[in-house]
Amino acid sequence: MKIINLDKEIFEHAFILCEKKFSYEEIINVLKNGNDVEKQIAILKIRFIENRKDAKLLVSHLTGQDGPIRESVAVKLNELLSVENCKIFDDVDFYPTYVEAVCDVNPNVSRNVISYLPKLEFAGELFDLLIKKTEKIFERIEKPDTEQKNFLTVRLFNLYWCLEAIGELLVAKNNLIVENRLNGLLEKSAIFNNYTIDEKIARIISLPFFNDVRCKIEKKIQNTDNFYVKRYLKQ
């Protein structure tokens, strides 16, 4: 009975908040002191951010929070970064948080974050962080935690999103210097014979940056039924 009452109370409170018009100061105060329901609704009501301090506060909620809050932040950042001249979030100090969120357990967080990464100015720094993140994934694969359930599945899920982010960045930014580290990571990724990861590999090596190593990697993924892999390899 208490749980039912609590759910009803939360629902009614959420409804009131949805109808309420928040001032900018109220939104920031909720981010600092509100509960999860209040934060989620307040985040979605954000229309602009006035200063770097408040931008940092919002970005900090992209990780380490409950799923609905993380998703709300990812959606809102994608929206705000689509606004012309919205440069306040294009801060290299925020980049590590963005890259961490790429591997969120919630795919909606990952998709929204990856969608706005190409809009950021300092692509070289972002690319380096994505490579380092991918390297750490392989370090964990090579030293597995046998007590964690579905260990390899989780790591392959992380790898998938890192490769997706790297691919999006390479497509959007044609002036990136692609280092040998990425070539090695692509070769390692191909050994899993994973349907979805092979698709991300194929997309990346179809780009002009990879003419020198394409043949070597292509041989590892060409025997697949994945339509998208075959399509990318024909390019």
Side-chain angles (χ1 to χ4, degrees), residues 69-131:
I69 294 176
R70 301 196 311 274
E71 185 172 345
S72 296
V73 175
V75 170
K76 183 53 61 175
L77 287 173
N78 196 7
E79 177 186 313
L80 291 172
L81 278 158
S82 297
V83 178
E84 189 175 357
N85 297 325
C86 187
K87 298 292 186 181
I88 200 165
F89 295 102
D90 196 353
D91 187 320
V92 291
D93 288 341
F94 300 162
Y95 284 14
T97 302
Y98 297 155
V99 171
E100 190 64 29
V102 164
C103 293
D104 196 285
V105 68
N106 181 343
N108 290 329
V109 175
S110 302
R111 289 190 192 97
N112 275 281
V113 171
I114 291 171
S115 179
Y116 69 69
L117 291 185
K119 300 170 187 174
L120 303 176
E121 181 178 357
F122 303 103
E125 287 84 347
L126 192 57
F127 185 76
D128 184 61
L129 287 171
L130 285 167
I131 293 297

Side-chain angles (χ1 to χ4, degrees), residues 135-147:
E135 289 173 338
K136 287 182 180 179
I137 291 171
F138 274 103
E139 287 176 8
R140 297 197 67 179
I141 290 174
E142 290 162 4
K143 297 179 180 178
D145 180 357
T146 54
E147 294 184 1

Side-chain angles (χ1 to χ4, degrees), residues 151-190:
F151 174 82
L152 185 58
T153 301
V154 172
R155 297 301 151 226
L156 291 181
F157 180 83
N158 296 155
L159 179 60
Y160 170 90
W161 287 114
C162 276
L163 292 176
E164 171 72 359
I166 289 169
E168 285 293 315
L169 206 58
L170 289 173
V171 168
K173 309 286 187 179
N174 57 16
N175 60 346
L176 283 174
I177 299 175
V178 180
E179 300 178 359
N180 289 331
R181 285 191 302 167
L182 178 55
N183 297 339
L185 292 173
L186 292 174
E187 287 188 55
K188 283 184 176 183
S189 299

Side-chain angles (χ1 to χ4, degrees), residues 46-62:
I46 292 173
R47 294 293 175 264
F48 61 92
I49 290 292
E50 289 185 348
N51 54 64
R52 186 184 183 279
K53 181 180 178 181
D54 294 343
K56 183 178 180 180
L57 177 64
L58 179 61
V59 171
S60 72
H61 284 73
L62 189 57

